[in-house]
Amino acid sequence: AHACPMSALEAVQAALAPLLDRIAPVYDGAPPRAAFPYIVIGGSPVTDWSTKTERGREIRLALTIWDDGEVAESLRTLMIAVEAAMDGFPRDLPGWHVASLVFLRSLISREPDAPSAALIEYRVRVLAVI
């Protein structure tokens, strides 16, 4: 029996952790009692991106940076660091090749008496490596 190959989403998420851990701790979902700042990889929809001859996937990555800083500048600084780290995203992943990684949008959400959040979204398109 063959070992179950890593899904496209698993491969992309595994490559994210070492890039982003240098900026802030990375979690797959909201962590209980984590120290700020931290990054959460949100639910990432995966759709088919296959060609006639190759299996492909499109992944929408939603990265949310949480910070309790009173100063907006700290959240912006973290956003810049995440975007810079994503420039170093590897093109070859276990079982997959990254065909494109595109920044889609970012936004900051602030509410009184609550942590601030910065959302950064990317579109990652991968093709299976045979």
Side-chain angles (χ1 to χ4, degrees):
H2 293 298
C4 186
M6 193 178 274
S7 77
L9 180 58
E10 290 170 327
V12 166
Q13 287 182 343
L16 275 176
L19 287 176
L20 301 179
D21 266 337
R22 289 177 260 160
I23 299 162
V26 179
Y27 298 96
D28 186 12
R33 298 181 302 281
F36 293 103
Y38 60 86
I39 301 169
V40 174
I41 301 172
S44 303
V46 179
T47 55
D48 184 51
W49 192 69
S50 298
T51 67
K52 287 182 180 182
T53 57
E54 295 178 278
R55 192 165 54 104
R57 296 289 180 266
E58 179 177 292
I59 301 161
R60 294 290 179 117
L61 274 183
L63 306 174
T64 305
I65 306 165
W66 291 93
D67 192 18
D68 66 349
E70 298 296 316
V71 184
E73 205 53 50
S74 66
L75 201 52
R76 286 195 190 93
T77 301
L78 290 167
M79 290 174 74
I80 290 166
V82 166
E83 288 188 41
M86 291 299 287
D87 288 341
F89 195 86
R91 295 302 182 206
D92 293 306
L93 307 175
W96 301 90
H97 174 73
V98 177
S100 68
L101 185 144
V102 177
F103 168 85
L104 296 177
R105 68 180 183 144
S106 66
L107 59 101
I108 292 178
S109 170
R110 280 195 201 81
E111 294 187 21
D113 303 320
S116 297
L119 172 69
I120 307 174
E121 288 185 344
Y122 289 90
R123 181 185 70 221
V124 185
R125 291 178 172 165
V126 297
L127 292 170
V129 176
I130 310 267

